[in-house]
Amino acid sequence: FLLSLKLENKTKEKLQKQICQVVLDHFEKQYTTELGDTWTSVRDVLTYPLCWQYAVLLNKFSQSAELENTLRVKGYHPAFQGLLPYLPASASLKCYIRRTPGRFPAQKHQAGKLKEYYLLNAASLLPVLALEVKDGEDVLDLCAAPGGKSVAILQCAYPGQFHCNEYDDLRSRWLKQTIESFIPDPLVSSIMVSKLDGRQIGDLKPELYDKV
């Protein structure tokens, strides 16, 4: 019984997110200089897990009206009001947020079954919107893992060639699983996943991409 209890406690400790004090101390020094008094509130968000992934990005390849109703009942509302004029007509960037901190339950990866939504920080969508990706454009996601921005880009448009790069081996495997969880097979074939040093891509594929 004691051995079982110890193993259970070890498992819980392993799964619990830990704050690395060395990193936090470095952030403290760096961002106090850059952000001044604002850093205090930024730090509070970074060290409060419920604030890390508070937004729910719906997957247009696995739509569910029931899910949207559930989100509204739980106090979520669309992050964007009305159509975004610079996105293609085929775009379906639906993201829900709520004002009180909290985290919608995550969906487990199931081979062959697409997830209905992706949990992320809504600020992650800002670079995606800034790219204004159009259908047929060649796009490079240079540091793509865990894959939230890649998934969001594919909600907005159908790139001609979509190159998702992640140098770290573990994160690259995470990226591949994300793509498998959110993108249907016919579209997956147009996505290239690589583990290149991002500094080399410009030399290997000069002036190839419309958006990076």
Side-chain angles (χ1 to χ4, degrees):
F1 172 75
L2 288 174
L3 179 61
S4 174
L5 191 61
K6 282 181 181 178
L7 287 172
E8 186 180 336
N9 287 336
K10 273 191 174 182
T11 303
K12 285 180 180 176
E13 287 172 12
K14 190 176 180 182
L15 292 175
Q16 186 177 2
K17 288 184 183 293
Q18 300 291 325
I19 293 172
C20 180
Q21 194 59 45
V22 174
V23 173
L24 193 58
D25 289 345
H26 178 75
F27 275 34
E28 193 81 39
K29 182 179 178 182
Q30 179 73 24
Y31 292 113
T32 297
T33 304
E34 291 188 21
L35 302 177
D37 294 339
T38 309
W39 165 242
T40 303
S41 57
V42 172
R43 180 187 58 206
D44 289 344
V45 170
L46 289 173
T47 55
Y48 185 41
L50 291 180
C51 292
W52 293 344
Q53 295 178 315
Y54 63 91
V56 183
L57 175 66
L58 273 54
N59 184 13
K60 73 176 182 180
F61 304 111
S62 181
Q63 287 186 340
S64 168
E66 185 180 338
L67 171 60
E68 291 195 64
N69 292 334
T70 300
L71 287 166
R72 291 179 189 276
V73 168
K74 290 183 177 293
Y76 285 83
H77 61 275
F80 311 112
Q81 301 298 329
L83 294 173
L84 297 170
Y86 43 83
L87 292 179
S90 60
S92 180
L93 192 67
K94 290 185 178 180
C95 181
Y96 281 79
I97 58 175
R98 66 179 181 183
R99 289 181 173 81
T100 54
R103 192 172 185 271
F104 202 68
Q107 290 181 312
K108 290 184 178 180
H109 172 75
Q110 296 181 54
K113 184 177 181 181
L114 296 182
K115 292 184 180 182
E116 295 179 323
Y117 56 87
Y118 188 96
L119 302 178
L120 77 173
N121 189 306
S124 297
L125 297 178
L126 296 179
V128 174
L129 294 173
L131 278 182
E132 299 186 18
V133 177
K134 305 293 190 298
D135 290 346
E137 289 184 323
D138 294 328
V139 180
L140 167 64
D141 190 348
L142 191 58
C143 301
K149 294 182 184 68
S150 299
V151 169
I153 286 169
L154 290 166
Q155 306 301 309
C156 296
Y158 295 96
Q161 178 182 320
F162 193 21
H163 183 176
C164 298
N165 184 71
E166 178 53 57
Y167 181 69
D168 182 81
D169 186 60
L170 180 62
R171 288 173 61 81
S172 181
R173 277 183 276 154
W174 189 3
L175 170 65
K176 288 177 182 176
Q177 188 178 87
T178 299
I179 291 172
E180 182 185 330
S181 291
F182 288 91
I183 310 303
D185 286 338
L187 192 54
V188 169
S189 61
S190 67
I191 301 172
M192 182 176 79
V193 178
S194 66
K195 294 192 293 183
L196 298 169
D197 182 329
R199 294 169 296 184
Q200 300 172 351
I201 293 179
D203 294 327
L204 293 170
K205 300 175 181 290
E207 299 183 24
L208 176 64
Y209 301 102
D210 300 300
K211 305 283 173 69
V212 179

